[in-house]
Amino acid sequence: MPDVKPDIILKYFPDLSEKQLEQFSRLFDLYSFWNAQINVISRKDIEELYERHVLHSLGIAKICTFKAGESVLDVGTGGGFPGIPLAILFPETQFYLVDSIGKKIKVVKEVAAALGLTNLRADHLRAEQVKEKFNFVVSRAVTRLGEFYPWIQGKFKKESLNAIPNGILYLKGGDLAEEIKESKLKAELYPLSAYFEEDFFETKYVVYVAQ
């Protein structure tokens, strides 16, 4: 097993505490272990975990700094992205990760427990079954924006605490003009290439839809 370190995370987030750095450092071994049993990340991608999964998830943090007391719903979290990296980065914010595939949520719960993440809950649910309200909804390319929006409509708190209003922060790649037009949503695009210099991020965006 190669020794893969989270240096790329420190490159862009140099102010991590020792505890956060330790948590990020443990992600590779934890995901390697669980991925061998329950495939949540493409096998060939595991060595690129920090760039393609962890740093990609943290792209959301370049657009929005979550505050203490805010709550964030991660829809279709899969193995815990973007929710787990964001929960490490924002320990004062509450994260709720849901996915319709039970074995993926098992991995999320095991990784979160191993890291001691007390600000994260995870359940085997579809987004439509979630009854609570949140400041933000995050997700990583689970479906087209127009299909995604009805799942989470009405799940937002009225009061905003943040510099940007409550809303959706959606990680997506490629040419999104048609998809946004089709969704009829007023969306703002933030290219991750403005924050991260690696080639992987050239066509990656955070799509923000205020509520």
Side-chain angles (χ1 to χ4, degrees), residues 4 15 45 60 72 127 136 140 146 150 186 202:
V4 177
D15 301 326
D45 238 14
I60 287 172
V72 179
F136 291 95
R140 192 165 75 142
K186 188 173 182 293
E202 268 179 25

Side-chain angles (χ1 to χ4, degrees), residues 37-176:
Q37 299 175 59
I38 299 169
N39 196 13
V40 289
I41 293 167
S42 138
R43 295 269 196 261
K44 64 182 190 307
D45 238 14
I46 192 76
E47 285 180 35
E48 308 293 339
L49 176 80
Y50 286 112
E51 179 181 303
R52 296 186 182 174
H53 299 279
V54 181
L55 188 60
H56 187 210
S57 297
L58 295 176
I60 287 172
K62 292 294 187 185
I63 314 308
C64 180
T65 301
F66 296 125
K67 305 286 186 226
E70 285 189 316
S71 58
V72 179
L73 174 66
D74 178 1
V75 172
T77 188
F81 301 100
I84 284 178
L86 291 171
I88 294 173
L89 194 65
F90 299 109
E92 303 291 313
T93 303
Q94 297 300 314
F95 290 85
Y96 188 31
L97 281 57
V98 298
D99 200 282
S100 59
I101 300 171
K103 62 184 183 180
K104 291 188 174 179
I105 286 296
K106 175 180 167 59
V107 174
V108 171
K109 288 182 171 179
E110 294 286 354
V111 171
L115 295 175
L117 289 175
T118 55
N119 61 329
L120 184 152
R121 297 178 293 138
D123 278 315
H124 174 205
L125 288 175
R126 301 184 65 82
E128 301 95 315
Q129 296 170 284
V130 176
K131 298 288 183 261
E132 299 163 52
K133 293 192 187 304
F134 301 86
N135 297 98
F136 291 95
V137 171
V138 298
S139 192
R140 192 165 75 142
V142 287
T143 185
R144 291 176 79 79
L145 205 51
E147 292 170 23
F148 180 79
Y149 188 69
W151 299 352
I152 50 89
Q153 219 168 344
K155 291 195 190 338
F156 294 92
K157 292 181 178 178
K158 287 194 166 52
E159 187 188 2
S160 284
L161 306 174
N162 214 296
I164 66 172
N166 294 350
I168 301 166
L169 292 156
Y170 201 53
L171 289 162
K172 266 274 182 169
D175 182 1
L176 299 171

Side-chain angles (χ1 to χ4, degrees), residues 4-31 49-51 53-59 61 80-91 111 114-117:
V4 177
K5 291 193 166 26
D7 297 351
I8 197 168
I9 308 303
L10 268 177
K11 174 179 171 182
Y12 293 109
F13 296 91
D15 301 326
L16 297 176
S17 68
E18 274 184 39
K19 182 180 180 181
Q20 287 171 317
L21 185 55
E22 191 230 345
Q23 288 171 322
F24 280 123
S25 299
R26 292 185 61 203
L27 287 177
F28 180 72
D29 286 347
L30 285 167
Y31 276 106
L49 176 80
Y50 286 112
E51 179 181 303
H53 299 279
V54 181
L55 188 60
H56 187 210
S57 297
L58 295 176
F81 301 100
I84 284 178
L86 291 171
I88 294 173
L89 194 65
F90 299 109
V111 171
L115 295 175
L117 289 175

